[in-house]
Structures are given as C-alpha cells and as structure tokens.
Amino acid sequence: MKVDICECVEEMRLSFIRPISCCAVSSPATSLKPQTPLFLRPPTFKTTISDLKKWHLWAKSLASSVGSTFLELDNGPDSDLLLRELNWLVEDAVETPKLFLQQPHKDYHDNSSVSIRASLEDLYMLWKQRVEERRPFQYVVGCEHWRDLVLSVQEGVLIPRPETELIVDLVDDAIKENEELREGLWADLGTGSGALAIGIARILGTSGRVVATDLSPVATAVASYNVQRYDLEEKVYVKQGSWFEPLRDDEGEFVGLVSNPPYIPSKDIDGLQAEVGRHEPRLALDGGASGVNDLIHLCDGAVSLLKPGGFFAFETNGDEQSKSLVHYIETKKQGSFSKVKMVPDFAGIQRFITGFRGR
C-alpha cells in the first residue's frame, strides 16, 4: 500500500519527541569503553595445533549442518557463507592463520604451540553464537569492512551496509560540482559506527569538519573509537543526543547533511532476518508505523540547519519511501529545496534522496 506522507504528517510528528540522553556533549565524556575488534587484540593465548584443529573440525561440521535452512527461513546464511565466515574468523583469531589453514588435516596429533587472540573456549562460544543464536558475524569478530575502512562494531551499534557507501560517493560528486562544500561544516545524524562521518571527513578539504550525532551512548563511544583509529579527531566531532539537538548552536552554518536513519516500518521488524531483527538495535531500525517518521523529521530540520546551497543525502527503505519523501518535500517544503532527486543503489532500487537547500 502506498504511503501517503502528506495525510499522516501530523500523526507522525507526535512521535518525533524522543528523550535526550545527553545533549551536545562530546562522547569522550561517556564511561563506556568500546570492545576491541578481534583482529586488533594481542595474540596472548596459546593452544596446540591439535586442539585448534579439533575446534576447526567441529566448527566446520556445525556450519555444514545448516545447509539452506536459514536461507529458506528468512534469507539468512547458508552453509557456504558460514564456511567462508569461519575462514575469516580464523584469519582474525590466529596469529599465523595461513600456516594453520595450510597444515595437513591429518595432523591432529601435532602438539606444537600456536598463538591466538581469544581463548579456545571463547572460540567455541563465539562460533556457537554465530550458528545457533544467529549472532551477526560482524559482532562475533567486532568489526565490519566498509569501503576502504575496517570499522569497530558491537551489540548496540548498527552494522554499516554496503549500499550506504554510496552516500559518500554522492557527497564526493556534490563537492566536485561546488568546491565551497569541501571546506564547510557537515553533519552525520544517527552516525552509528561513524562510517559516514569518517568516509566524508576523508574527502573534505583541510578546513572541512563533520559533526556526528547519535542518541545511543554505545554508538557514540564506538564512533569515537573509530574516529581515533583513523586519526580524525580534528576533523570529526562526535556528540551524543537526539538528531538535531546537539547542533542547535550551529543552525544555519552547515553546508552538508547526511543520514541513514531508521526506516523499517514497525510491523516489519519481527520478520527481518534473525541476525538483524534479534540482534541489531531496534532504535536504529524502527522508523515508526510507515517507516518514515525520522525521514520527515530530517527533512523538516534540514531547512533550518543548512546554509543556502547546502547539500543533503538521506537513505530510505526503497522506491515507495523515496517517491513519497520527494512528494512531501515538493508539497510541504515547497521552495525550501532544489534539485531534489532519487538515486538508485547497486541493485537499482531507488534508495537515496538528495537535494540542495534553496537559495
């Protein structure tokens, strides 16, 4: 059924009021300490080749037993994907993964020592969580590969998706058309792991800055950790708070605004793939009854946040939401924005809305 945004705007506005956990303060003030991704941990644990191979054989057997069950159930991982993930887990956990993987499988009595980054007991637990509890692999190893970045992620933080990478490309295109955008102030609202903020900061000029906000204290702590890993503390400022609240002192000063907000309709959350619906933060997924609550809020706030000529790019749930959002902007925000358009993702789905603040 088509979402008629114009008819339900007032109803949706009622849900925009969210509690502010901590408004406009830098995330280092939080006492939360992000988890270190597995591949960055020191290899302080020891085990034998024999015991590690026994774990590996057990893990392969558990992965192979899945077959296509999860794929047929909710488009989850099949055995082939799980076996690839197992190899990735070995690469992150074992100090010399290639030597281990190349060892002849018959060497189950090799008692020579091997260094690992988690205890053997933890490796059993982690793989059991991955297969039996459907815990996302990114949470198991504590990171996600995104563009040319390796970002820390953990429970409470949305795992950045490949399609979201395109927002950085859209920003890059906008900057190439107008170099004034390169040196200005940008905002990434609902930053999660900090992926967009970091990606954009790396293509800005020497004076360009990004303010990244998120309501979740876990997300702001993880985003700050990722910002520090890429030595961008002078270019990316992470603040905890609800949407535009941490930016009130700088309204009208931003040249760019990006966001990958919650956009899944509430009724659809329980039907998502188990890795998503059971484990990723609902706060980062649930966009309200029609999925567009936060998207409308972003459109409304962009009017006062952006400078004339300022660029925006928002991710949506697809064709229907994108069309409805463009209709809302053209009717309810008439004259506020220009060059508003839909942009497809890798699969050809109209995933993004972009435009400029009217002059």
Side-chain angles (χ1 to χ4, degrees):
M1 183 176 67
K2 183 177 181 180
V3 180
D4 191 339
I5 293 182
C6 296
E7 292 182 1
C8 59
V9 168
E10 293 306 317
E11 178 183 352
M12 293 174 180
R13 286 179 190 274
L14 296 178
S15 66
F16 291 159
I17 302 173
R18 293 187 174 187
I20 308 299
S21 297
C22 181
C23 179
V25 297
S26 298
S27 59
T30 182
S31 60
L32 291 173
K33 185 176 181 180
Q35 299 173 9
T36 303
L38 184 58
F39 81 99
L40 289 177
R41 299 175 195 174
T44 55
F45 298 91
K46 299 287 185 180
T47 189
T48 64
I49 292 289
S50 175
D51 285 342
L52 191 58
K53 281 196 171 290
K54 288 176 183 176
W55 165 79
H56 193 242
L57 181 63
W58 165 83
K60 288 177 67 176
S61 177
L62 190 61
S64 298
S65 70
V66 169
S68 60
T69 302
F70 299 157
L71 183 64
E72 295 168 357
L73 180 65
D74 58 14
N75 200 33
D78 61 7
S79 288
D80 288 342
L81 177 56
L82 289 171
L83 289 169
R84 289 199 299 273
E85 290 181 351
L86 177 58
N87 281 340
W88 298 334
L89 176 57
V90 170
E91 290 175 359
D92 280 5
V94 181
E95 185 180 26
T96 55
K98 290 183 179 179
L99 290 177
F100 168 72
L101 291 172
Q102 291 169 0
Q103 286 275 352
H105 289 290
K106 62 183 180 181
D107 289 350
Y108 288 109
H109 300 291
D110 186 342
N111 290 318
S112 58
S113 179
V114 60
S115 298
I116 51 179
R117 295 184 172 85
S119 69
L120 195 60
E121 181 182 16
D122 281 345
L123 290 181
Y124 274 101
M125 177 192 68
L126 289 172
W127 193 245
K128 188 174 182 180
Q129 289 175 343
R130 174 65 190 112
V131 179
E132 296 185 358
E133 299 177 20
R134 304 284 300 276
R135 187 184 181 202
F137 180 73
Q138 292 88 342
Y139 291 163
V140 169
V141 295
C143 67
E144 168 67 324
H145 294 253
W146 192 83
R147 291 182 70 88
D148 57 344
L149 306 170
V150 183
L151 299 168
S152 171
V153 292
Q154 65 187 61
E155 274 80 358
V157 179
L158 187 74
I159 299 166
R161 271 43 174 193
E163 57 266 24
T164 307
E165 297 179 10
L166 285 174
I167 290 182
V168 179
D169 295 326
L170 294 172
V171 169
D172 193 30
D173 291 341
I175 288 174
K176 289 174 180 176
E177 291 182 10
N178 180 5
E179 286 293 326
E180 292 181 6
L181 299 177
R182 189 179 299 279
E183 303 295 338
L185 187 61
W186 286 75
D188 171 22
L189 303 189
T191 193
S193 64
L196 284 174
I198 293 170
I200 291 170
R202 284 154 59 96
I203 63 174
L204 294 180
T206 55
S207 300
R209 299 291 183 270
V210 183
V211 181
T213 74
D214 204 290
L215 181 62
S216 164
V218 178
T220 53
V222 169
S224 295
Y225 175 85
N226 286 323
V227 167
Q228 292 166 8
R229 274 201 64 227
Y230 285 96
D231 196 25
L232 290 169
E233 297 98 318
E234 299 302 315
K235 292 183 72 68
V236 180
Y237 309 117
V238 182
K239 296 187 176 184
Q240 187 184 338
S242 180
W243 296 122
F244 296 95
E245 291 293 337
L247 309 179
R248 282 181 172 175
D249 292 342
D250 295 306
E251 280 190 352
E253 298 300 318
F254 287 81
V255 300
L257 167 62
V258 298
S259 183
N260 175 24
Y263 53 59
I264 306 297
S266 302
K267 62 181 176 57
D268 295 341
I269 299 293
D270 291 339
L272 294 173
Q273 185 186 82
E275 281 81 357
V276 180
R278 293 183 197 170
H279 296 277
E280 293 198 69
R282 187 168 185 129
L283 181 67
L285 298 171
D286 194 337
S290 300
V292 295
N293 287 8
D294 295 304
L295 283 162
I296 292 176
H297 189 51
L298 289 167
C299 290
D300 291 343
V303 176
S304 58
L305 185 79
L306 290 173
K307 284 183 174 183
F311 176 78
F312 73 85
F314 303 143
E315 184 171 330
T316 78
N317 197 26
D319 294 7
E320 187 174 321
Q321 280 191 2
S322 291
K323 290 176 183 177
S324 296
L325 200 64
V326 168
H327 181 64
Y328 174 76
I329 292 172
E330 292 176 345
T331 56
K332 297 299 183 179
K333 298 297 170 184
Q334 190 173 14
S336 296
F337 301 103
S338 64
K339 299 181 181 178
V340 177
K341 63 180 181 179
M342 298 181 291
V343 181
D345 62 15
F346 299 118
I349 298 170
Q350 299 297 338
R351 180 71 60 187
F352 309 101
I353 299 296
T354 66
F356 296 85
R357 181 69 173 91
R359 294 184 180 276

